[in-house]
Amino acid sequence: GKGGAADSSSGPSVFKTSNGFQAVWHMNNGGTGPESDATSNGFTATPSGTAPTNNNGGAIGKARTFNGSSAYLVALSTATGALNFPQGGPATLSAWINSTV
């Protein structure tokens, strides 16, 4: 709560790739532009199709609103990159979702 306190947070220190994190997007950029990756991999998630809209009413901070059909984000990687998960291999995807359906 101290307004003048320096920000000492470090996404790459929290979401270490050595702990298995490949990409982390917080959906809090404050607009309709790309989302930065909090890991050291630096995979930017770029809006494609209809850009998801900004929503200041997220559970913790800001959020994004997707329309359910044409609003999505794309994070490019190579065929040998960190986001190319092998078929049948282990992977975990986590999301906080507030569905209106």
Side-chain angles (χ1 to χ4, degrees):
K2 183 177 178 185
D7 182 0
S8 61
S9 65
S10 170
S13 294
V14 174
F15 302 105
K16 294 179 179 181
T17 55
S18 61
N19 289 339
F21 290 99
Q22 297 305 317
V24 174
W25 300 284
H26 289 105
M27 305 298 168
N28 62 357
N29 86 336
T32 56
E35 292 290 345
S36 298
D37 179 9
T39 73
S40 62
N41 285 330
F43 292 115
T44 298
T46 305
S48 193
T50 305
T53 57
N54 185 44
N55 179 342
N56 289 319
I60 300 174
K62 297 175 182 174
R64 289 292 188 107
T65 300
F66 295 84
N67 65 13
S69 61
S70 63
Y72 56 95
L73 298 171
V74 175
L76 299 178
S77 184
T78 64
T80 58
L83 295 182
N84 185 21
F85 301 110
Q87 183 176 355
T92 300
L93 177 65
S94 175
W96 291 9
I97 299 172
N98 181 13
S99 176
T100 59
V101 206

